[in-house]
Amino acid sequence: MQRFLVFLGLAMVTALTACHSKKILIYASSDIQVDNTQKNITITDGTTHHEKELDFTGSSPVDLTVQSPTGKFTVQAGDDGLYILNLKNDTVVGSFQHVGADNGEAKITQEALKQKLDSLQRLVIGQNITEGKNYFIPPGKIVRITAQTKSKVFGPFTTIPGDFNAGSAPEIYKFYTNKEVWEIIGKLSQMTIYHQGTGSTP
């Protein structure tokens, strides 16, 4: 009987531990080196985008120590959920995606174009950040994106495939570097000028 109770207690602890999880997506501009504990990270100078995913179980906060060209620092993931740790030199911004909502839309109105341009311009300077929708992650910072660790995140320099099954993940997010967004803003600005000059959509 005593052995059974011990076994039952261990089973309950294991089950409770399994219910708690943290997923941390790391963005860097060089290869990301992680030790066996997954809690000590080393990056170097670089120009090529790299990503790495770390998974942790348990309810305790996770402390990560980062050794970078600019020095050594620590970040913490407290609550359960999916996080992004930005180790790039550029700020990373992104938002929740309503994938499939615009399928079949052949044209974009001038008003919608202006709204998108305004939203992006505010996003890159961190002015329209709202809980659960838009995110602004400066270099060296970690941000909790969602409680859903099985959500799908498309990182910088990655497009969402046209045939992506939106039903395969509870939530979908897309992230960019600030440099990428400014390039998009430049293209949208040119489209806005075209609209103003012709009064039509190309």
Side-chain angles (χ1 to χ4, degrees), residues 27-194:
Y27 295 156
S29 296
S30 72
D31 188 35
I32 303 166
Q33 300 292 331
V34 180
D35 71 353
N36 292 335
T37 68
Q38 294 196 101
K39 295 182 179 180
N40 294 292
I41 302 164
T42 301
I43 60 168
T44 58
D45 287 318
T47 57
T48 304
H49 180 68
H50 285 73
E51 299 184 9
K52 195 170 189 66
E53 179 181 305
L54 305 179
D55 292 293
F56 299 91
T57 57
S59 59
S60 299
V62 173
D63 293 314
L64 302 178
T65 299
V66 180
Q67 181 66 59
S68 74
T70 59
K72 190 174 184 178
F73 60 94
T74 301
V75 297
Q76 184 180 90
D79 297 327
D80 291 348
L82 187 152
Y83 292 75
I84 288 180
L85 170 58
N86 178 23
L87 299 182
K88 301 177 73 67
N89 292 326
D90 194 3
T91 294
V92 171
V93 298
S95 61
F96 174 81
Q97 300 294 299
H98 297 281
V99 176
D102 297 325
N103 285 351
E105 183 179 5
K107 296 183 179 180
I108 181 171
T109 65
Q110 184 174 353
E111 184 62 29
L113 186 62
K114 288 181 179 179
Q115 290 178 355
K116 185 172 184 178
L117 181 59
D118 178 66
S119 177
L120 288 172
Q121 288 173 329
R122 288 185 289 122
L123 181 61
V124 292
I125 58 176
Q127 284 190 345
N128 66 337
I129 307 304
T130 57
E131 182 66 28
K133 295 297 180 182
N134 300 316
Y135 299 90
F136 182 90
I137 313 175
K141 300 298 182 181
I142 187 170
V143 172
R144 182 174 181 263
I145 305 304
T146 174
Q148 301 281 352
T149 57
K150 292 185 179 180
S151 294
K152 178 64 176 177
V153 178
F154 293 90
F157 312 108
T158 302
T159 58
I160 300 178
D163 60 351
F164 176 71
N165 178 13
S168 64
E171 297 175 354
I172 302 165
Y173 296 84
K174 177 69 182 85
F175 282 82
Y176 306 84
T177 63
N178 257 5
K179 182 179 179 181
E180 280 186 288
V181 178
W182 280 118
E183 291 174 353
I184 295 172
I185 288 173
K187 293 177 181 178
L188 289 178
S189 296
Q190 289 299 318
M191 291 176 66
T192 302
I193 293 173
Y194 180 89

